Amino acid sequence: MKYIPHSEAETRAMLESMGLSSVQDLFQCIPAALRLAADLPIPRGKSELELERYFYQLSRENDGVLEFTTFLGAGAYNHYVPAVIDGIISRSEFFTAYTPYQPEVSQGTLQAIFEYQTMVSQLTGMDVTNASMYDGATAVTEAVLLAQRARSSAKKVVVAGSLHPFYRQVMRTYVANFDLAVEEVPWDSTGRVDPVALAAAIDDATAAVVVQSPNFFGAVEDVAECARIAHARKALLVMAVTEAASLAAFKAPGELGADVVAGEGQSFGIPVSFGGPYLGIFSTRSEHLRRMPGRVVGMTEDTRGRRGFVLTLSTREQHIRREKATSNICTNQGLCALMASVYLAYTGKSGLRELCRQNLAKAHYAREQLCAVPGVLPRFSAPFFNEFVLTLPGDPHAFARFCKERQIVPGVPLKWFYPGLDQDMLFCVTEVNQRAEIDKLVAAVREFFARP
Amino acid sequence: MTQRVRKTISINESLLFEQVPGNRSTCDFPPLDVPSGEMADYVPRELLRDDIPGFPELNEVEVVRHFTRLSTHNYHVDLGLYPLGSCTMKYNPKINEKLARIPAFAQAHPLQLHENTQGCLKVLQKLADLLVKITGMDGVTLQPLAGAHGELTGMMLIRAALTARGNPRKKVLIPDSAHGTNPASAVLCGYTTVTLKSNASGCIDLDELRRHLDPDVACLMMTVPNTLGVFEENIQEVARLVHANGSFLYMDGANFNAFIGVARPGDMGVDVMHLNLHKTFSTPHGGGGPGAGPVVVVKELVPFLPMPVVSTKTDGSLFLDYNRPQSIGRVAAFYGNFGILLRALAYILREGSDGLRQVAENAVLNANYIRHHLSRDFHLEYRQPTLHEVVFDDKNQADAGVHTMDMAKRLLDLGFHPPTVYFPLIVPGAIMIEPTESESRAELDAFIDTMRQIAQEARESPKLLQDAPQDIRSTRFDEALAARKPVLIWKETGQA
Amino acid sequence: MYSDDYLYTKEHEWVRVENGEATLGITHHAQEELGEIVFVELPEVGKVLAAGDTLGSVESVKAVSDVYAPVSGEVIAANDLLADKPELVNQEPHSGGWIARIRLSDKSELDGLMSADDYEAYLGEEKKH
């Protein structure tokens, strides 16, 4: 009723013009037995002011979200979100538009997506990028499904155990309905995928090898070596990414031999927002273009020869191909892709490079300082970006509880994800963490583990 | 009356990559407060890239102007009626945007301790509770990230429940009027699909249904009201037949806006239903997402819902419950599109029990008002009563050589976004109009007048329609060119 | 329009047989129905097909149509020109827009196909529905 413009008189006049006396006449097609006699058993509507009070009250129950210093990463990253992003995406022209079905009045959305596709391709070093997917986990799963389409005899995918545990869970949920096995390979002492185990796991019926870099432990993988091993048995190499900012620092996956790059783009200006909405990134080589899931925007001309952009290659999609479609996806994360576009355009090449340098510098400073505490050991030796695993001289959960009093959220205890890594904790340090906060974390470690 | 022709600023905005070179990004960071080094001081040089070829380098003003100019090339709900059938382009309340940006929500990390995120968990629990009550079902997952994702999740739940009963079965029945996502989702869940031919009134043909119900049928997926806007006349009998066969009844909730607060799927015998929060529950479409596709289910399917779910501890506090041994698993990286779920909760609380019923009543009133006042000018293939949308076609105009697409493009010239065209497939040349409850009578009248003008133009000057649009920034695009030689990213050496 | 030298299928394909080899494509009618063709998925040379198997597909902007093998046999050639110029299927559906060539394994299958007259009658029937 809050967002309905008709007055009662207007409603009556409309009904009269149609020869009706009541709105209820229009619902006679619903069997009477199914029509509710009473209102729904939920509260009556609130005023806007009441609504705002209610949500601010709830937000205060997130005590600690704003006050605490956090070193949490693991698939959701605290990067600075420049004000320009909200300035752009708050424009009704972008956020209240539909999917650009009518290109003549959707060039804003279409060109922005084309620019997004281009910038992500420049970062991944791949030929094509789609208009985005739901999130990193579903994007990686869709990459596996693409590989299965490319290799129709495939019976299995080989997945690094250091792929984000939640991503592996999503993949297993999806493939449970197919004749496709998921085999996990372990990591070695560097934290990277064990190349011998990887080679042994791949057979001629392997559709794809999925390797995340930097992986869940923060370790930068030898993607080129993994690609060589995969390609030797004609499997595709899917490179998963959870920390998209790292793409600006490390060699482009395309250069390293990846066939698909799939992952999470939340780092590009999207708030952590308790897990979503995020941005699934999906890039691949031209040869897989017609197997690629999701929407894609292409360049064309109008009848007067002026450049413009349209949704294209839609015959892959469900509304035309129905049960033969490449996937059931019929939208992208349009506004999140726009956020990424604005972020990338605003930050620019030099800004992204500086961002990467600061993440590297701060994370390395933090690890060095933490490892100077007696008993704290680096778990792995591989190069890392802004996340690393440390073995603590005690129970990480107890340490996390201790940190709460200090208003610190230290990192993610790994025991829950990886039984066996019982004393290990995954830390993330980004440009938003100040030196004083890092030093506070180090002091907390020092104090807690020095206790008798 | 408002001048309907809304010409946008006529600037052919260049691409980000074509801006004047020599710029430098104005983005900055605080000076490093830890020992400073170059990237190669931290990781081996051979791992690093030297450059990101082609990547933009602009200042803030240029970026803001670029995207602001682009924005002027978009039609959007805040500008006017957006009558896309099946898409439910209703108003997106501003307060919801404000609430989703409250820092303590936007900055909540998904792996934060439960005791620090009770507010977020309450948002999820409250929304779950309300969706269950509104639909009359027993449980819900908020995890699916879009409508099609909800469909897939719903199919997985059915498969899991049937597997637990001993046999996942093989087939899914889908009416020929269904959205294309339905068969695609069923196939992605490992089923084959069987298309049911609709009867003369566009509904499920009970004889056809009986013929196809056999022990291999896992479920029937139906949209209610269907894509013609027609409420399934025999829904109770359909549910009875499906259940008697040991199959499940899946309802595509894309059109729930038509009867929210008026009737409940749970009372109709529906077992699983996904909800498009970006349709019925007013969250913005964002130019194609993010949406959210929660799935409500009956009791038998509750144990299989994706994990985690929000549960209550003995002390009354909330936590993410992973102890779900029969769960199908996880379908998204975290807990769903939280920011969207929050907006939907705000909408439901603001409308309340009194408002939600009026949402459906006014959506149906508006659609029927359009139907009534356009039915002399446009052909209506299926003539029975419709709820929230109406599907005309181009039969009255075809003799003049004017087709649905021509009329859609002419609407652009005259200041409106066109309806959904060429869907559902069972109506050739379909023009599917859904005004939603947000529109005033004046806006509806303006649209009706414009459509009548188009009908008249089709008789008198068809070329005006065949060449449309002419009065806006772009004329029709060559979609064959785009598909034959796909240019999907900008390249310096390529076409620019 | 429809040459007497060709045979036709109900799926709107044409077949021309020479020396035990069947060249095939989609008919003028089929390409007209599809509209502007933007992509043709060609079969792999060497693949052995049974009559009725999916051989490839033809895509326009708004539709996609599978192409079925009208006869059984091994694919001995595919029209690679279509990779770059799919519009040939629109321009010369019965000549330059051919899709594949199959070495017939069972000539008797040809008996099941339609003559030009039969096909035109069939088109007339279809139109009525």
Side-chain angles (χ1 to χ4, degrees), chain B residues 288-357:
Chain B
V295 177
V296 288
V297 297
V298 291
K299 206 174 232 127
E300 183 183 353
L301 296 171
V302 170
F304 305 103
L305 290 174
M307 56 155 194
V309 298
V310 178
S311 297
T312 310
K313 285 187 190 165
T314 46
D315 67 359
S317 69
L318 304 179
F319 71 109
L320 290 163
D321 186 357
Y322 283 88
N323 185 17
R324 308 278 303 172
Q326 287 186 283
S327 167
I328 57 167
R330 211 180 250 283
V331 296
F334 294 103
Y335 326 119
N337 278 340
F338 177 78
I340 304 301
L341 300 170
L342 185 154
R343 287 171 174 87
L345 174 61
Y347 179 73
I348 295 171
L349 292 175
R350 179 121 166 81
E351 289 291 0
S353 56
D354 44 337
L356 288 179
R357 180 189 253 292

Side-chain angles (χ1 to χ4, degrees), chain A residues 401-448:
Chain A
R401 280 194 296 277
F402 171 76
C403 283
K404 217 187 142 206
E405 300 157 21
R406 303 295 178 95
Q407 300 209 323
I408 300 170
V409 184
V412 182
L414 290 183
K415 182 179 177 178
W416 186 58
F417 297 103
Y418 295 98
L421 299 184
D422 296 355
Q423 284 182 229
D424 296 277
M425 189 173 249
L426 174 67
F427 295 88
C428 176
V429 186
T430 74
E431 78 281 1
V432 302
N433 295 109
Q434 300 177 62
R435 180 179 186 152
E437 296 174 340
I438 298 169
D439 292 344
K440 199 169 128 186
L441 171 69
V442 174
V445 172
R446 201 177 290 281
E447 187 181 339
F448 181 75

Side-chain angles (χ1 to χ4, degrees), chain B residues 194-205:
Chain B
V194 178
T195 305
L196 295 184
K197 267 182 86 70
S198 299
N199 65 16
S201 54
C203 290
I204 288 183
D205 183 328

Side-chain angles (χ1 to χ4, degrees), chain B residues 155-169:
Chain B
M155 291 307 303
M156 287 175 177
L157 294 171
I158 289 172
R159 195 180 176 96
L162 286 169
T163 305
R165 284 189 199 165
N167 177 4
R169 304 195 174 192

Side-chain angles (χ1 to χ4, degrees), chain A residues 31 42 54 71 100 110 113 135 242 409 429 435:
Chain A
I42 65 171
Y54 175 79
F71 297 92
L110 287 161
I113 295 174
D135 71 0
T242 59
V409 184
V429 186
R435 180 179 186 152

